[in-house]
Amino acid sequence: MSATAAASAGTAGAAGGAARILITGAAGCVGQYTVEHLYRHSDAHLLLLLRDPSKLKVVAANDPRITLLVGDLRDLEPHAEAIASATRVIHTATAWGDPERAQQVNVVAVKRLLALLDPARLEQVIYFSTASILNRDLKLLPEAMAYGTEYIQTKAQCLQDLEVHPLAERIVAVFPTLVFGGRVLPGDPHPTSYLTSGVKEAFPWLWLAKWLRTDSSFHFIHAADIATVCAHLATTPHQPNPEPGQGAVRRLVLGQAPITINQAVATLVRWRRGWVPPVGLDLTPWLIEGLIKLLRIEVNAWDRFSIRQRHFVHKPVSPPERFGLTSYAPTLEAVLETAGVPHRGRLPGTEA
């Protein structure tokens, strides 16, 4: 069935009622921003797959538009009927750390989830991967399978599987770059992303980092902006992949314009009302390698590849503006503002 025919079939299947959007990983950082956005800006019924309902803070669990599917992604059978009722899917759930669990969650469970969907009803699947497995032109990096961690390898494997899946034309694969979200202090209902938590941990080292220079660049994006893009995709008609040079699965790297490591460090220092020296020590590849040996830092094959790669940039990237929308946090300064990072004084749990 073509994507156009699939969209027509899905619309017909949902006729007479609101869309039914299944969101996996609904209690996570990106998951909760997405749930909140869809709840506020659509009339969709939200099917929320999550392991711990007590972590869901952005909507009321007993709201008539909310259905909780409590369980593990590796055991979907108890929710098979609800999954089959979905017209759209936003699959954010993932796993890393343990190789066996990563394989089961990131590969096997994705296949089972797709198998439980009703092709006559389904309009679209938004599948979350990571920009780390793509090169500048959004092609799969050969090194992802060769050197990647269990997380990187399973994400690469799953993308290859999806490209040849019978539902490929209905799949939009999104590849977030570095994700900020939540706040550094308590009080935000959204979970704090690992990167936002890491900003707090970086403060005690700014005195040293500001004297170092490195030729490296990256993209970032706020979880609220990921939610904006995904909600837009999930509430507009699905069409065949419009991206030139891609296959059946549409690939979208979610990120703002690239910035350099040097710019990021300078921004953090200035935000904390510090002084940025005009010169610094260049961290050349040979110097980095020397420091690794001197300090006996453990690095794996993927770490070494990343050090050589240095520039994790992609073209095109897809912030909300690419869809005629407005970013919540388009700059690093905006990220720090929304995260509640103070300009001066200590933060709990830090020494700076």
Side-chain angles (χ1 to χ4, degrees):
M1 181 184 292
S2 70
T4 303
S8 298
T11 302
R20 294 175 63 82
I21 303 178
L22 170 64
I23 304 172
T24 71
C29 179
V30 172
Q32 293 213 49
Y33 275 101
T34 303
V35 168
E36 180 182 48
H37 191 105
L38 284 166
Y39 182 80
R40 290 184 177 183
H41 301 288
S42 79
D43 62 353
H45 188 94
L46 305 180
L47 309 167
L48 308 184
L49 181 64
L50 69 178
R51 288 183 295 173
D52 185 355
S54 68
K55 294 182 178 180
L56 184 65
K57 304 295 184 182
V58 296
V59 294
N62 61 354
D63 188 282
R65 285 178 54 203
I66 302 296
T67 296
L68 297 187
L69 309 179
V70 181
D72 194 289
L73 195 66
R74 293 167 291 183
D75 183 20
L76 296 173
E77 305 309 319
H79 306 300
E81 184 176 352
I83 292 170
S85 75
T87 58
R88 305 261 179 153
V89 177
I90 302 176
H91 179 53
T92 76
T94 192
W96 60 88
D98 177 68
E100 176 61 24
R101 181 168 178 264
Q103 179 70 21
Q104 291 298 315
V105 171
N106 298 344
V107 180
V108 177
V110 175
K111 293 180 181 179
R112 184 57 186 153
L113 175 64
L114 294 177
L116 289 174
L117 297 168
D118 181 359
R121 180 186 299 269
L122 180 70
E123 299 176 34
Q124 179 191 70
V125 175
I126 299 174
Y127 163 76
F128 271 69
S129 186
T130 170
S132 298
I133 68 172
L134 300 181
N135 67 11
R136 182 183 183 90
D137 301 317
L138 279 57
K139 307 294 185 184
L140 183 62
L141 280 168
E143 292 86 354
M145 289 299 295
Y147 308 131
T149 63
E150 76 290 329
Y151 173 70
I152 294 295
Q153 289 183 343
T154 53
K155 285 297 185 180
Q157 180 183 345
C158 189
L159 178 62
Q160 292 175 315
D161 293 344
L162 293 179
E163 289 286 1
V164 296
H165 195 277
L167 295 175
E169 290 187 343
R170 300 185 225 182
I171 297 173
V172 179
V174 294
F175 302 84
T177 49
L178 298 182
V179 178
F180 289 97
R183 293 173 65 84
V184 296
L185 297 175
D188 190 335
H190 308 94
T192 303
S193 75
Y194 290 105
L195 190 57
T196 296
S197 296
V199 168
K200 183 172 67 173
E201 302 302 323
F203 286 156
W205 299 98
L206 287 179
W207 68 271
L208 174 61
K210 69 182 182 181
W211 290 100
L212 305 176
R213 301 291 184 269
T214 182
D215 181 25
S216 181
S217 52
F218 63 96
H219 303 276
F220 67 88
I221 191 165
H222 195 282
D225 293 323
I226 295 176
T228 296
V229 172
C230 289
H232 169 76
L233 295 170
T235 56
T236 54
H238 182 75
Q239 301 294 334
N241 187 1
E243 308 291 338
Q246 297 186 8
V249 175
R250 186 179 188 184
R251 300 184 183 187
L252 297 175
V253 170
L254 304 183
Q256 301 292 345
I259 64 171
T260 66
I261 293 289
N262 296 337
Q263 289 171 328
V265 171
T267 297
L268 288 171
V269 172
R270 292 190 181 103
W271 185 265
R272 295 288 287 170
R273 300 298 188 253
W275 171 72
V276 180
V279 296
L281 175 65
D282 286 329
L283 289 176
T284 59
W286 66 266
L287 180 56
I288 293 174
E289 185 64 28
L291 289 173
I292 289 172
K293 293 180 179 179
L294 177 65
L295 301 177
R296 298 182 179 179
I297 300 172
E298 291 189 15
V299 294
N300 57 35
W302 183 252
D303 294 331
R304 290 192 178 280
F305 167 72
S306 299
I307 292 171
R308 295 195 304 269
Q309 181 84 346
R310 312 198 80 172
H311 297 281
F312 286 88
V313 295
H314 309 276
K315 187 176 182 179
V317 289
S318 297
E321 282 73 13
R322 191 168 184 233
F323 305 93
L325 306 168
T326 302
S327 288
Y328 174 72
T331 65
L332 190 54
E333 290 86 351
V335 165
L336 298 173
E337 181 71 37
T338 59
V341 177
H343 290 291
R344 295 184 182 277
R346 289 182 57 182
L347 285 172
T350 72
E351 299 178 359

